[in-house]
Amino acid sequence: MRTDLFIGNAWRPAASGKRYGVINPATEECLAEVAEGDAADIDAAVQSARTCFDSPDWQGLSPRKRGGLLFRLADLLEQRAKDFAELETRNNGKPLFESRIDVAMAVQTYRYYAGWADKLTGDTLPVDGPFFAYTLREPVGVVGAIVPWNFPLNLASWKIAPALAAGCTVVLKPAHETPLTALLLGDLAVEAGLPPGALNVVPGMGAAAGAALVRHPQVDKIAFTGSTEVGQWIMREAAGTVKRVTLELGGKSPNIIFADADLAAAVRGAQTGIFYGKGEVCAAGSRLLVEKAVHDQVVEQLAERAKKLAPGDPFDKNTRLGALVSQRQQQKVLSYIAAGKKEGAALVAGGNPAQVNGKGYFVEATVFDGARAGMKIVDEEIFGPVLAVLSFEDEAEGIRLANRTMYGLAAGVWTKDVQKAHRVARAIKAGTVWVNSYNFYDAAAPFGGYKFSGFGRDLGKEALESYTEVKTVWVAL
Ligand code: NAD
């Protein structure tokens, strides 16, 4: 297992010599002692990315050949899928079947952007006067990618793939809790033939390595996924060097069940909407809004299903609820459960910490009924397996409750009425709306937020554009 910093296609300890322990949250074992990067290491990585970016080799590499490198990286990742999935599960605590899905999505993302590399074009412009005017799309430069711990490999690919496809070079700062798959990716980058400096990986603390990347004058763009609070800080700090910034932040997404929905499908969707990924999913359907006429029925079925969803060994093929990423996160989630009880919501399933084989930072699948706007469990992002159920009278009230949040990342709508489905999808202020489904992602489908969920999009051709500058060229005829 790689535990040093990956800079310029080589492995090195941190300049300070510091290392820190990375924990398996399901077993509480220390998995590895990883080099802890700080400002000095970030500077070395940025210099490496800059030198690569400015080099004739990188500048002279045709977009098609650049795409070829990404195709190769995707193939290598696919060949090593088992190793990556197992490592992700050990480091994050998520069930192995989820890690397999993560790796498959990362492979898809590298392939999708590999295909875009030679299809990025400018326009010819119908300007007045004797001119031929056109635009060029040029890479923005060195990209600092900062990602959280919930989908470590996958979210890194959402930044690295479009950045490299656009011709940028990258310094990746993984979350300090989960750096292992990002480091393993370094091996594949070398094997795929990426030139030294095209991709660098520097694990470390947010306040040290992350902040240094945000402040570094040689970094042209920060692509960030994480909490709204850190996103706000990054936006302020990036002003000093006028960096381009894209922010994928938190969420408190409404999943709306109308009385005319296929209720069996809607209950399944509500369950996976909140409990997939242990609820540590930015787009988790953490507010379930149920039309009054079917409220009791839905809550009863959902509570029954949640009670059966026992936390288990993430390597057991039957496990559908893994360990939370850390003890800190477990404590945070439990404090929200305590707040829900205190504020008078009715606990109908779960609510307790759990252990598997006497170890681990697990929390039961938890459902609160009778939740109301103004309660902490309704207004704040919990980032754990905790669902708040609210009820509404009619479509107008459903929409009003759905939009009553500072966030706007995603939403679900369950109804058999096709007109209502489209009407509600339009009325909801969120970057993604799933109709009669929840939690689907594809490299071709842009993903990102409205309001405090951030701005800019990952995935799709929209993401690619944010890694480019537009240059307008005027030629007098
Ligand atoms: P976090 O904001 O604490 O950390 C995210 C990353 O930022 C980590 O790599 C961290 O080390 C780094 N960081 C922390 N402080 C920093 C600083 N001052 N300067 C630079 N970097 C810094 O978030 P987290 O707890 O790791 O992740 C959970 C959050 O991420 C949730 O709010 C969740 O909603 C959000 N998230 C959003 C999306 C999305 O696509 N919108 C996806 C996944 C997670």
Side-chain angles (χ1 to χ4, degrees):
M1 192 187 295
R2 293 298 190 174
T3 57
D4 278 341
L5 313 178
F6 179 66
I7 297 177
N9 278 7
W11 300 91
R12 58 166 94 163
S16 67
K18 277 206 220 160
R19 309 188 84 83
Y20 71 98
V22 170
I23 307 295
N24 178 336
T27 63
E28 304 178 31
E29 284 164 340
C30 182
L31 285 169
E33 295 282 336
V34 169
E36 182 178 336
D38 61 20
D41 307 294
I42 287 291
D43 185 53
V46 172
Q47 298 305 342
S48 160
R50 188 87 247 165
T51 304
C52 177
F53 182 79
D54 291 334
S55 70
D57 282 357
W58 185 252
Q59 292 295 331
L61 195 67
S62 74
R64 192 154 297 147
K65 289 210 167 107
R66 226 167 43 228
L69 294 176
L70 285 171
F71 276 123
R72 182 133 176 73
L73 188 60
D75 290 347
L76 291 170
L77 186 56
E78 196 167 47
Q79 286 160 22
R80 298 280 303 275
K82 187 168 175 287
D83 298 341
F84 275 86
E86 289 178 4
L87 191 57
E88 198 77 306
T89 282
R90 278 204 175 84
N91 197 172
N92 168 281
K94 63 176 72 188
L96 187 59
F97 91 96
E98 291 187 7
S99 292
R100 289 202 185 108
I101 294 172
D102 287 9
V103 179
M105 167 123 212
V107 170
Q108 181 197 74
T109 303
Y110 286 112
R111 261 188 206 135
Y112 174 80
Y113 285 108
W116 266 113
D118 62 358
K119 293 165 196 74
L120 259 178
T121 58
D123 292 315
T124 54
L125 310 173
V127 297
D128 277 343
F131 294 100
F132 170 47
Y134 62 93
T135 54
L136 296 171
R137 279 212 171 258
E138 298 183 344
V140 79
V142 173
V143 171
I146 302 178
V147 296
W149 40 256
N150 56 345
F151 293 86
L153 179 77
N154 201 8
L155 291 180
S157 78
W158 290 17
K159 318 288 189 199
I160 296 168
L164 293 177
C168 300
T169 57
V170 180
V171 176
L172 172 69
K173 210 297 281 173
H176 80 270
E177 295 89 342
T178 55
L180 298 183
T181 48
L183 289 173
L184 193 55
L185 189 71
D187 271 340
L188 300 197
V190 177
E191 210 181 326
L194 258 68
L199 173 65
N200 308 274
V201 182
V202 182
M205 302 299 153
L213 194 54
V214 172
R215 292 191 180 121
H216 202 292
Q218 297 280 333
V219 173
D220 300 286
K221 170 184 160 116
I222 293 290
F224 174 75
T225 297
S227 61
T228 293
E229 197 187 358
V230 174
Q232 287 173 308
W233 180 87
I234 287 177
M235 205 172 158
R236 281 194 295 271
E237 202 63 23
T241 46
V242 195
K243 277 190 183 59
R244 285 88 185 105
V245 176
T246 45
L247 301 176
E248 303 281 350
L249 309 176
K252 190 76 192 178
S253 299
N255 199 0
I256 313 170
I257 302 182
F258 286 100
D260 62 6
D262 171 343
L263 286 190
V267 169
R268 274 197 308 276
Q271 178 189 334
T272 58
I274 183 63
F275 298 128
Y276 187 88
K278 319 156 250 165
E280 292 171 337
V281 178
C282 53
S286 51
R287 287 186 300 143
L288 187 70
L289 313 185
V290 188
E291 195 164 355
K292 273 223 169 88
V294 293
H295 167 271
D296 294 354
Q297 220 177 319
V298 166
V299 171
E300 192 183 319
Q301 289 176 30
L302 195 58
E304 211 169 290
R305 294 181 79 101
K307 284 178 195 156
K308 286 190 191 140
L309 205 66
D313 174 359
F315 278 94
D316 183 329
K317 68 179 183 350
N318 297 316
T319 295
R320 290 294 174 271
L321 192 63
L324 300 202
V325 74
S326 62
Q327 191 170 29
R328 189 165 151 248
Q329 189 63 17
Q330 184 198 37
Q331 292 309 317
K332 182 179 160 201
V333 171
L334 293 173
S335 78
Y336 274 107
I337 293 174
K341 289 183 193 161
K342 191 160 165 249
E343 290 178 328
L347 187 65
V348 295
N352 299 303
Q355 291 193 319
V356 173
N357 303 323
K359 295 277 182 195
Y361 311 125
F362 298 83
V363 173
E364 292 173 351
T366 299
V367 180
F368 278 107
D369 191 18
R372 286 182 315 278
M375 290 180 174
K376 274 166 82 80
I377 56 165
V378 173
D379 291 356
E380 297 179 20
E381 183 181 49
I382 299 175
F383 227 55
V386 181
L387 180 66
V389 184
L390 296 84
S391 62
F392 62 90
E393 291 284 354
D394 57 16
E395 185 179 326
E397 194 192 5
I399 291 168
R400 201 166 54 244
L401 275 180
N403 284 332
R404 193 200 163 281
T405 167
M406 64 192 264
Y407 296 112
L409 194 55
V413 181
W414 299 85
T415 173
K416 283 189 195 146
D417 177 341
V418 70
Q419 289 165 307
K420 190 196 282 179
H422 288 287
R423 223 166 33 231
V424 176
R426 283 189 184 211
I428 287 175
K429 297 196 171 23
T432 295
V433 179
W434 288 289
V435 176
N436 296 331
S437 57
Y438 206 91
N439 257 343
F440 285 85
Y441 303 86
D442 190 287
F447 181 80
Y450 283 32
K451 304 195 280 184
F452 278 66
S453 293
F455 54 82
R457 292 291 177 267
D458 277 326
L459 304 177
K461 71 174 187 310
E462 287 75 6
L464 203 56
E465 285 165 7
S466 75
Y467 291 92
T468 66
E469 296 282 6
V470 176
K471 180 182 281 174
T472 306
V473 183
W474 292 75
V475 183
L477 294 175

